[in-house]
Amino acid sequence: MMGRYALVQRSEVSLKSIMLVPLVTFVLALLGSMVLFGFLGAPPLEVLYRLLIDPLASAYNISEVVIKAAPLILIAQGLAIGFRAKVWNIGAEGQLIIGAVAASVIPITFPESQNVLMLPAMMLAGMIAGAAWAGIAAALKTRFNASEIIVTLMLNQIAVQILYFLINGPLKDPMGFSYPQSVSFPPVAMYPLLSDDGMLRANASILVVILLSIAALIYVTRTFSGYTLLVGGLAPSAASYAGFSAKKAVWITLLIGGAAAGLAGVGEISGPIGRLQPSLSPGYGFAAIIVAYLGGLHPVGILLAGTFMAIVYVGADGAIIDVGLPPAAPVIFQGMVLVFYLASFALVQYRIVRVQPEARA
Amino acid sequence: MASAFGGPVSLTFQPIHACRKNKNTTFVASLAYVIEAAPLRVVINNREQHLKTKAGESPLLLQLRNITKRYGTYVANDSVDLALEHGQICAILGENGAGKSTLMKTIYGIQQPDEGEIVWNGEKVAVTSPSVARDLGIGMVFQHFSLFETISVVENISLTVPGSLPDLAEIIRQKADEYGLHVNPDAPVHGLSVGERQRVEIIRCLMQDPKLLILDEPTSVLPPHSVQQLFGTLRKLSERGVAMLYISHKLEEIRDLCHCAVVLRQGRVTGTANPRQATSAELARLMIGQDIPTARHAEAKPSCEPALTVSDLTYENPDPLGESLDSVSMAVRPGEIVGIAGVSGNGQSTLARILSGEIRLQGHMAGRIQVFDHPVGDAPPGTRRQMGVTFVPEERLGRATVPTMSLADNVLLTAHGAGLVRKGLIRRRQQADFADKCISAMDVRSRGRQSIASSLSGGNLQKFVLGREILLKPRILIVSQPTWGIDVGAAAMVRQKLVDLRDTGTAILMISEELEEIFEISDRIHVMYHGRLSPSVQARSVTAEDVGRMMMGEFDQKMRAA
Ligand SMILES: Nc1ncnc2c1ncn2[C@@H]1O[C@H](COP(=O)(O)OP(=O)(O)OP(=O)(O)O)[C@@H](O)[C@H]1O
Ligand SMILES: [Mg+2]
């Protein structure tokens, strides 16, 4: 006879075991992909090489890693602030899209402009729009206690539809034949490239991301506002006793998360893409959730985890073409990272106990 | 085959133990049965031990030899020796932070001693986990609660006691009646008051038929008549051979119940006493090395204008298991201490939460609570703090402090307005200074401001919280159970601080279950019963018997009759 099982928190969790979690996750996910992709006929060691070494083996690949790391890290920094406060924004993908759409209106309206303020204006527009999109979830949560998980998740779908509608309508390039895409952006709408080598696409957005990571570090470690959010996450009764408003925490965290995702959207259209088009992100908004947790919800950890994730992204992209992995390979890998992370983290923090023992035999 | 899981948990940061197969075929009998049958019962896995005891080979149930426990460089227990006979109730006395809980956790297998050995029934044993301890026949009631918040009472108990949920629920109900430890087996733990949680802990322990029962301040939140009921139970258990280690700061209780007493100071055994013969004062002297000072308590000179007014406050608790309030009225003036006596669970915690703003009244009810003539019933806690009101809630861990944060970070919780934050940035120096001031003013024994709140001994954390709220120089202080879990010496100090604060013109509202405390320092006394508050009486002109009668609700009848 089976009893009911429950997860029960461990009292003492050593720092060592917490630090081990990302490591164990990496190793298991890599082993898992070697086995899984091995079944598909890819030689396991080749897969390992492709995923981990190849992405760092050439200047071009490194530049690609930088391009992918920027949005992952940026979004994850924003989300982590919410996750520490136990506000679950899983709508970064939609916030990214809305940020990109809003920002794209500027270069699409002024395609010939040479005003150097265009990029800053786009960044601002992207952040405001992303924050506003997340703000819908905050409003529904604080007003009607609607789960922010569900709302942000559904807003992702709505954002995609808005993008499709606009890109086939008002924002479409009239000269673009039947392609649903906008005009190419003028140079002032683009992040400057980091090198003169025309092949390398890495751009200044990574510098913005690093600066914002430092800002996130200061926010969570030095500011009172960051402290109140953390208290709300760690001990809600203490937060309520101290008078730290739970509603305010929902607003702050969702707005920050939305702004970061919106800015990441600008990074895509003003970076590697250079215009508005139906596909803006290979799921950065979701992968960033994994990055945030893998980084221990700490700004420095997130920098490392985001870089790692970007490496695997680039590696898997290459492997799809060269070793014949299925196109879903990167997503499968992310899925494995998430599952192994959750499992190992849960087992570090909790024990499994049986709530209702079997009757005596 | 029964599977058992035991022990302590989440919020309390006591370790959790493995879910192990328990070969003990313990059947769950009502405690009455246990009491009747305990000495004769042969539990399979303990058979040899049990027979041996019966044969009288080993009169000593438990012996500790040379137990030393260190936390880093800090020695919490220093070569402790202790011997306990079957059926003996031994008190462990000591100041806050003396190492009492640490020693108990070692016996119960939550942590391993760095040196020394534990001898059980004449055999050296390694108590590597609480489930090993339980198999030996050791049960423990914790100082901080060890229940899982997310599941119900009966589910919590089913973790350590085999049996189907309906059966267990039935037994819990029986026990609840038998010992006056009233709990609803189906209630989720997160909705229970502190007192109710403690009752669950005690019931759970009693259901496991232990040979040694460790009780770490079990009565700190029990109403007085329940204490007597509990003592009745414990005495019966003792007659049947169950030994007990009993930690309490209430010396009268120890004299009432215990056969022997061991005194710990700074981790060492510094003496033993016969509590039956020693006076409370003598015990206290052994414990703190000096006589207990009683608070100097001159007549209050309150001003006339009340600082805090509650008028005709009625509150229907949306939680059917929660406490409601029924037309409560009172006023607290600057320069006086108003005590609210009464058995906890009669509405005190709801009242405290309404006063602090954790429960907010609807806008039209705002005027029912006034601070210096401003209606604040609907104001958030922050606003009330800005008006000079501070609060000490009864739960020190998890509500008054964030368990996983350092003391330094925990001062920010309520003292952020005292210059600890500028332009949104935390001022680390001021924060550290405040924490240090708080630690030294209240004599908080810890390893400094970087200590994690949950690593402090219970009493020391309580002193820390009190210190934080007092250092904010409140105009109104609302304090619940100020000396809960604090040793006699420190309790006297805390009461003196409250009186001193009163003399600076602060209005103090003190909610306490301890009548002596209420009498020692309050100027006026209210009694709370079933959500109603008695009219106030002058503390100096009323007897304990009067208040005792009021605590049984007698004022209520009079009021209704009138
Ligand atoms: N996990 C821990 N890490 C570090 N220090 C600890 C830990 N647990 C206890 N201590 C320290 O050991 C000392 C003894 O604590 P203990 O809890 O045994 O005291 P106590 O006698 O039970 O006091 P109280 O009467 O206040 O409950 C305290 O100074 C405490 O700060
Ligand atoms: Mg203790």
Side-chain angles (χ1 to χ4, degrees), chain B residues 71 74 76 96-102 143 217 249 447 455 457-459:
Chain B
Y71 293 113
Y74 183 85
N96 296 129
K100 304 179 296 294
S101 296
T102 304
Q143 178 175 18
E217 300 189 31
H249 293 292
R447 278 174 296 155
S455 81
S457 81

Side-chain angles (χ1 to χ4, degrees), chain A:
Chain A
M1 210 202 329
M2 295 288 289
R4 246 184 74 202
Y5 290 85
L7 280 182
V8 155
Q9 205 164 10
R10 286 177 204 255
S11 55
E12 270 167 68
V13 181
S14 74
L15 195 64
K16 210 168 75 191
S17 53
I18 289 188
M19 303 289 259
L20 266 177
V21 167
L23 211 72
V24 169
T25 306
F26 289 161
V27 173
L28 287 180
L30 285 171
L31 285 179
S33 24
M34 282 161 69
V35 172
L36 215 61
F37 298 147
F39 279 124
L40 295 173
L45 284 180
E46 174 83 7
V47 171
L48 195 61
Y49 174 83
R50 285 290 174 172
L51 288 183
L52 278 191
I53 316 288
D54 198 38
L56 301 174
S58 71
Y60 175 79
N61 283 357
I62 292 178
S63 149
E64 292 299 298
V65 168
V66 168
I67 284 182
K68 295 216 179 322
L72 285 174
I73 294 171
L74 179 55
I75 299 171
Q77 299 288 17
L79 293 182
I81 289 172
F83 294 163
R84 284 160 66 104
K86 302 232 169 23
V87 176
W88 311 113
N89 173 6
I90 51 174
E93 188 75 6
Q95 292 143 22
L96 178 152
I97 290 172
I98 294 296
V101 167
S104 73
V105 171
I106 302 171
I108 291 171
T109 317
F110 307 102
E112 307 297 331
S113 166
Q114 296 190 351
N115 191 333
V116 292
L117 289 180
M118 181 173 284
L119 181 64
M122 288 173 69
M123 291 165 69
L124 199 65
M127 289 198 286
I128 292 174
W133 198 244
I136 297 174
L140 293 176
K141 169 88 179 179
T142 50
R143 189 116 176 71
F144 303 109
N145 200 20
S147 159
E148 75 277 19
I149 301 179
I150 310 274
V151 174
T152 52
L153 189 66
M154 295 201 303
L155 282 173
N156 284 334
Q157 296 306 316
I158 300 174
V160 171
Q161 297 307 321
I162 289 177
L163 170 65
Y164 287 173
F165 170 74
L166 292 176
I167 201 65
N168 280 298
L171 298 181
K172 187 177 171 205
D173 176 7
M175 317 299 281
F177 306 103
S178 56
Y179 290 118
Q181 60 184 30
S182 77
V183 292
S184 294
F185 291 172
V188 287
M190 304 292 289
Y191 278 104
L193 294 180
L194 288 181
S195 90
D196 299 334
D197 185 336
M199 286 295 291
L200 304 184
R201 305 194 295 164
N203 64 50
S205 72
I206 189 72
L207 304 179
V208 174
V209 169
I210 291 171
L211 280 181
L212 287 177
S213 293
I214 295 171
L217 184 65
I218 293 172
Y219 183 70
V220 298
T221 58
R222 299 298 313 274
T223 67
F224 183 62
S225 169
Y227 167 85
T228 61
L229 295 180
L230 187 58
V231 171
L234 288 174
S237 320
S240 130
Y241 157 74
F244 302 157
S245 156
K247 288 187 178 178
K248 201 165 138 195
V250 168
W251 275 106
I252 294 180
T253 53
L254 278 168
L255 292 184
I256 290 179
L263 185 59
V266 178
E268 293 309 293
I269 54 170
S270 294
I273 302 178
R275 55 157 65 93
L276 194 66
Q277 64 181 34
S279 78
L280 291 173
S281 141
Y284 288 138
F286 297 111
I289 298 173
I290 307 175
V291 170
Y293 273 103
L294 219 47
L297 301 185
H298 190 279
V300 177
I302 288 169
L303 270 175
L304 298 176
T307 310
F308 168 80
M309 212 55 165
I311 290 174
V312 176
Y313 251 114
V314 172
D317 276 353
I320 291 168
I321 302 159
D322 300 346
V323 201
L325 288 189
V331 181
I332 291 171
F333 183 83
Q334 280 171 24
M336 279 193 290
V337 170
L338 185 61
V339 168
F340 287 128
Y341 175 83
L342 290 177
S344 44
F345 192 72
L347 290 178
V348 162
Q349 293 234 307
Y350 296 88
R351 278 188 179 288
I352 301 171
V353 297
R354 193 180 307 170
V355 169
Q356 184 176 10
E358 314 154 31
R360 222 154 23 95

Side-chain angles (χ1 to χ4, degrees), chain B residues 371-447:
Chain B
V371 168
F372 297 107
D373 291 335
H374 295 284
V376 296
D378 59 346
T383 311
R384 303 186 198 200
R385 281 179 200 286
Q386 277 163 17
M387 299 174 81
V389 196
T390 70
F391 311 90
V392 178
E394 53 182 347
E395 298 105 325
R396 49 202 167 200
L397 203 58
R399 182 156 155 227
T401 60
V402 181
T404 49
M405 281 185 169
S406 68
L407 295 183
D409 281 342
N410 268 304
V411 299
L412 267 183
L413 206 56
T414 59
H416 52 83
L420 270 49
V421 174
R422 190 173 51 195
K423 296 200 182 118
L425 287 183
I426 299 166
R427 300 163 85 186
R428 293 287 177 205
R429 244 213 21 252
Q430 281 77 357
Q431 181 192 7
D433 288 350
F434 194 100
D436 288 345
K437 232 170 44 189
C438 186
I439 289 170
S440 67
M442 299 303 284
D443 187 25
V444 176
R445 313 267 168 89
S446 71
R447 278 174 296 155

Side-chain angles (χ1 to χ4, degrees), chain A residues 1-6 352-361, chain B residues 1-6 19-26 28 134 148 151-169 172 204 207-208:
Chain A
M1 210 202 329
M2 295 288 289
R4 246 184 74 202
Y5 290 85
I352 301 171
V353 297
R354 193 180 307 170
V355 169
Q356 184 176 10
E358 314 154 31
R360 222 154 23 95
Chain B
M1 183 61 51
S3 162
F5 155 83
C19 171
R20 319 173 4 121
K21 289 280 173 196
N22 180 355
K23 296 192 193 62
N24 194 337
T25 57
T26 314
V28 182
R134 273 194 306 278
F148 300 130
I151 53 183
S152 71
V153 168
V154 58
E155 284 173 328
N156 262 287
I157 286 186
S158 79
L159 295 175
T160 35
V161 185
S164 72
L165 291 183
D167 289 352
L168 287 176
I172 293 169
R204 174 169 71 180
M207 286 171 79
Q208 293 171 48

